[in-house]
């Protein structure tokens, strides 16, 4: 994959979920297991997962950025989301019982337990920084990704990444290009053409980054139809971060000889 840009790369920004890490299993499973742990019925894991998806979409639309724009605390945002998830799935627990369930869920997702770090993530980030290139995190996530989850998974500031832009902290989220403008500023207001963004979502990652003049790569770990179609239209697509490393190397080699 040869690149046409002539300016040397000075920064790589990366998405988190789907790019650096994924979930272990299905989210609905954790909700049902938390309910069962305190003796409550939750037999339909699939229905619970669908309930979560509906509730999350509703909350993200009504109170974006995990409540930041509405002055909702992170814990209150998630309390409402979890409560609505169970209601959407047809489970209406009394307040005392629900509070027990919620404490378990909030604790679980504030740890590394539900997440799996892709094996190429840490080596890739370390390799990029060894090239003298800044690494930034750009994620639709709360402060807990920055403060707890990423470090617990072995991705530490000043070791694997240099700066982070998280929607729950900034109050703006992808696909709004404003979150990428914040990343450009955090990188030292360098030319957007000297920044490469890598993410797994065409609408939330690739397109807004490109709209600012940044370079962008779509990572497709699971051979999705969306990525296949995008590739046919000329979007650069890589299967993993090893291929992303090869892409960067090729791009820099092209610049060096041009």
């Amino acid at each position: 994959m040869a690149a046409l840009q002539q300016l040397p790369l000075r920064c790589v920004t990366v998405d988190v979920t789907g790019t650096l890490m994924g979930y272990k299993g299905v989210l609905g499973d954790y909700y049902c297991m938390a309910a069962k742990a305190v003796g409550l019925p939750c037999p339909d894991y699939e229905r619970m997962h669908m309930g979560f998806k509906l509730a999350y979409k509703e909350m993200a639309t009504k109170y974006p950025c995990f409540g930041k724009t509405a002055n909702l605390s992170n814990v209150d945002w998630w309390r409402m989301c979890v409560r609505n998830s169970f209601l959407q799935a047809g489970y209406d627990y009394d307040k005392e019982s629900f509070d027990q369930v919620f404490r378990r869920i909030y604790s679980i997702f504030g740890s590394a337990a539900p997440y799996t770090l892709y094996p190429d993530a840490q080596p890739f980030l370390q390799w990029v920084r060894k090239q003298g290139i800044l690494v930034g995190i750009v994620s639709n996530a709360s402060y807990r990704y920055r403060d707890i989850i990423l470090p617990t998974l072995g991705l530490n500031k000043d070791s694997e990444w240099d700066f982070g832009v998280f929607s729950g902290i900034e109050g703006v989220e992808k696909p709004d290009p404003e979150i990428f403008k914040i990343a450009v500023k955090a990188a030292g207001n360098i030319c957007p053409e000297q920044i490469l963004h890598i993410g797994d979502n065409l609408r939330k990652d690739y397109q807004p980054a490109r709209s600012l003049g940044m370079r962008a790569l779509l990572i497709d770990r699971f051979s999705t139809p969306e990525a296949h179609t995008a590739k046919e239209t000329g979007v650069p697509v890589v299967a993993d971060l090893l291929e992303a490393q090869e892409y960067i190397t090729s791009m820099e080699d092209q610049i060096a000889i041009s």
Side-chain angles (χ1 to χ4, degrees):
M1 301 180 206
L4 299 177
Q5 296 89 342
Q6 300 303 309
L7 293 174
L9 192 63
R10 294 179 59 190
C11 178
V12 171
T13 59
V14 291
D15 169 52
V16 177
T17 307
T19 301
L20 300 177
M21 70 179 195
Y23 291 105
K24 295 177 184 174
V26 180
L27 291 181
D29 294 1
Y30 292 95
Y31 281 44
C32 279
M33 288 187 289
K36 289 181 175 181
V38 297
L40 296 172
C42 188
D44 194 330
Y45 284 33
E46 179 60 28
R47 192 171 73 189
M48 186 69 248
H49 183 63
M50 294 306 298
F52 166 77
K53 290 176 69 174
L54 290 170
Y56 184 90
K57 183 177 181 180
E58 181 181 322
M59 286 294 294
T61 301
K62 191 173 183 180
Y63 305 109
C65 304
F66 303 94
K68 174 73 173 180
T69 58
N71 293 319
L72 269 178
S73 70
N74 186 71
V75 66
D76 285 340
W77 191 96
W78 276 109
R79 188 187 305 276
M80 292 170 65
C81 185
V82 173
R83 178 67 173 168
N84 291 342
S85 297
F86 280 104
L87 291 175
Q88 290 277 9
Y91 304 118
D92 188 3
Y93 307 132
D94 63 77
K95 184 181 183 303
E96 183 178 350
S97 298
F98 171 73
D99 285 345
Q100 294 181 60
V101 176
F102 175 72
R103 283 194 295 269
R104 284 179 174 270
I105 292 172
Y106 194 71
S107 175
I108 289 169
F109 284 94
S111 72
Y115 309 101
T116 180
L117 186 69
Y118 297 131
D120 56 4
Q122 187 182 58
F124 172 76
L125 298 179
Q126 292 177 346
W127 175 82
V128 173
R129 295 186 80 244
K130 284 180 181 177
Q131 311 311 303
I133 299 170
L134 288 172
V135 171
I137 304 291
V138 180
S139 178
N140 286 353
S142 75
Y143 74 93
R144 298 206 297 176
Y145 267 39
R146 180 194 66 183
D147 296 347
I148 304 170
I149 295 165
L150 289 178
T152 302
L153 290 170
L155 301 184
N156 296 286
K157 189 176 184 297
D158 299 325
S159 176
E160 280 73 33
W161 50 282
D162 298 285
F163 66 87
V165 183
F166 300 89
S167 64
I169 296 172
E170 303 297 340
V172 60
E173 62 190 11
K174 299 182 292 182
D176 191 334
E178 286 299 318
I179 196 169
F180 290 95
K181 290 181 181 179
I182 295 171
V184 171
K185 184 177 180 180
N189 283 317
I190 61 179
C191 178
E193 289 182 26
Q194 294 183 281
I195 303 175
L196 171 69
H197 180 69
I198 305 172
D200 71 322
N201 190 292
L202 185 70
R203 184 178 69 87
K204 293 182 179 181
D205 290 299
Y206 183 84
Q207 291 174 343
R210 292 293 297 135
S211 74
L212 289 185
M214 296 167 62
R215 308 173 195 178
L217 270 180
L218 188 65
I219 188 167
D220 180 33
R221 292 186 180 275
F222 305 105
S223 300
T224 63
E226 177 192 58
H228 178 74
T229 301
K231 188 174 183 178
E232 290 182 337
T233 66
V235 172
V237 178
V238 293
D240 53 36
L241 292 173
L242 292 174
E243 285 193 12
Q245 183 172 324
E246 293 172 0
Y247 179 92
I248 292 171
T249 300
S250 173
M251 180 174 64
E252 293 298 279
D253 286 347
Q254 287 293 116
I255 291 172
I257 63 177
S258 62

